[in-house]
Amino acid sequence: MAEVRMKGAILLKHLSSVSDAVKDLKIDVKGGENPTLSYSFAAMTHYLEVTEGIPDANVRSDGSLFFSDIPKSVAFLKKCKGDVTVKQMMNNRLSLASGGKKMTVPCFEVNSSKLVGKYENLIKACEASGGIQFATATLSLSAQFAMKEIKDIASMGKLIPKDADYKVRANGDEGELMVKVAKGGNVSLFATTSLNDVDITSEEGTIESSFGYWLLPCLSMLGDGNTKMYMGNGTPIILNQGVHENYDGGSSRTLVIIDQEE
């Protein structure tokens, strides 16, 4: 069964970064010369796939770790300092230990994995199309941008009512990306950043998609670095941070955010 000794802060960072809609998670660990952790989860509103190196970790046994209750695991890790040993046990329990502290959690079905296969197939088909087709949606723009400005307002989502208007607007002609969150009579948030390497097939210079309250928490799951974007008019948005984009020392993230029809 899988077992790894790693910095508790790293594991806490990953478990804390998933959205409130995700209560459980399967994390795969792999040892060798370059140890890694990886996971994917999906909800009706979004999908995230992550692979990240854990160079200081000691992966004693490759395999999967099943976190069937993320809030309880997070609460335990917040009380830990230094390294944590995580082990998937034979009796369908997950063990977390640090110093003299230990917690075991029963492992039930991981619901966040149920839709993963569907999204993976859609992403593979999108890649085969050259990044222009996601299910029935036509992604007419691809570009790159720095995520930091966008993430800065993503962390302020609690200031905005859930029924606000959440929009992502890309102007290919002017090379600008805007995230706008507004609700009449309440606080409004705006963030803009420059687009680079823009490729747009739409006759319209500006394209826009509308989302729900899940937009800002989803954007918070990404890093600050260079990001490749694919979107169209009234479509989901695909965001990729990966090795080929010189992002974050070799980690990769692919995020799909599902749009909200007007």
Side-chain angles (χ1 to χ4, degrees):
M1 304 299 282
E3 182 177 357
V4 59
R5 181 175 177 85
M6 61 184 295
K7 292 185 182 300
I10 293 177
L11 181 58
L12 178 61
K13 177 191 74 171
H14 285 279
L15 292 179
S16 299
S17 68
V18 302
S19 69
D20 292 340
V22 178
K23 303 298 183 185
D24 51 41
L25 189 66
K26 176 173 76 76
I27 296 181
D28 296 320
V29 291
K30 187 176 181 180
E33 186 176 344
N34 298 300
T36 61
L37 63 77
S38 59
Y39 54 89
S40 302
F41 63 82
M44 295 300 294
T45 53
H46 61 284
Y47 163 84
L48 180 69
E49 177 185 346
V50 175
T51 297
E52 186 166 303
I54 43 176
D56 296 326
N58 178 11
V59 180
R60 297 169 181 169
S61 180
D62 294 0
S64 299
L65 303 168
F66 297 93
F67 294 84
S68 61
D69 192 327
I70 289 178
K72 286 186 174 62
S73 297
V74 166
F76 179 83
L77 290 169
K78 285 182 177 179
K79 300 297 182 181
C80 299
K81 295 181 180 180
D83 288 350
V84 173
T85 297
V86 189
K87 183 178 181 180
Q88 188 67 46
M89 303 169 69
M90 296 292 291
N91 58 351
N92 292 323
R93 297 184 75 88
L94 182 75
S95 167
L96 296 93
S98 177
K101 298 183 291 293
K102 183 177 180 179
M103 179 176 76
T104 64
V105 185
C107 300
F108 304 110
E109 186 177 25
V110 179
N111 293 312
S112 65
S113 295
K114 289 183 176 180
L115 294 174
V116 164
K118 177 181 178 181
Y119 278 94
E120 287 178 342
N121 290 335
L122 288 172
I123 290 172
K124 287 178 182 177
C126 183
E127 291 173 347
S129 75
I132 61 173
Q133 200 71 34
F134 184 80
T136 60
T138 299
L139 309 179
S140 55
L141 178 142
S142 67
Q144 297 190 45
F145 66 95
M147 191 69 195
K148 188 176 188 314
E149 293 289 346
I150 304 300
K151 269 196 69 180
D152 283 346
I153 72 158
S155 63
M156 301 170 66
K158 291 183 179 179
L159 301 177
I160 304 295
K162 282 193 172 183
D163 61 347
D165 294 324
Y166 296 79
K167 297 184 181 296
V168 176
R169 181 181 302 159
N171 188 315
D173 294 335
E174 297 183 5
E176 182 180 80
L177 176 68
M178 171 186 284
V179 175
K180 176 184 177 182
V181 184
K183 172 76 173 175
N186 282 280
V187 174
S188 297
L189 294 175
F190 304 84
T192 59
T193 189
S194 298
L195 292 176
N196 302 301
D197 299 330
V198 179
D199 184 3
I200 184 167
T201 58
S202 171
E203 294 182 0
E204 301 173 346
T206 300
I207 59 175
E208 181 178 272
S209 287
S210 298
F211 299 86
Y213 64 89
W214 56 87
L215 175 66
L216 297 186
C218 285
L219 293 174
S220 295
M221 298 176 196
L222 295 175
D224 291 343
N226 193 42
T227 304
K228 184 71 174 285
M229 173 182 71
Y230 302 87
M231 70 174 290
N233 236 343
T235 71
I237 184 170
I238 301 176
L239 300 169
N240 178 264
Q241 296 176 327
V243 176
H244 62 287
E245 307 294 352
N246 297 318
Y247 170 73
D248 198 21
S251 70
S252 67
R253 291 172 183 249
T254 296
L255 172 66
V256 179
I257 311 175
I258 302 301
D259 61 308
Q260 177 174 268
E261 295 183 1
E262 295 285 5

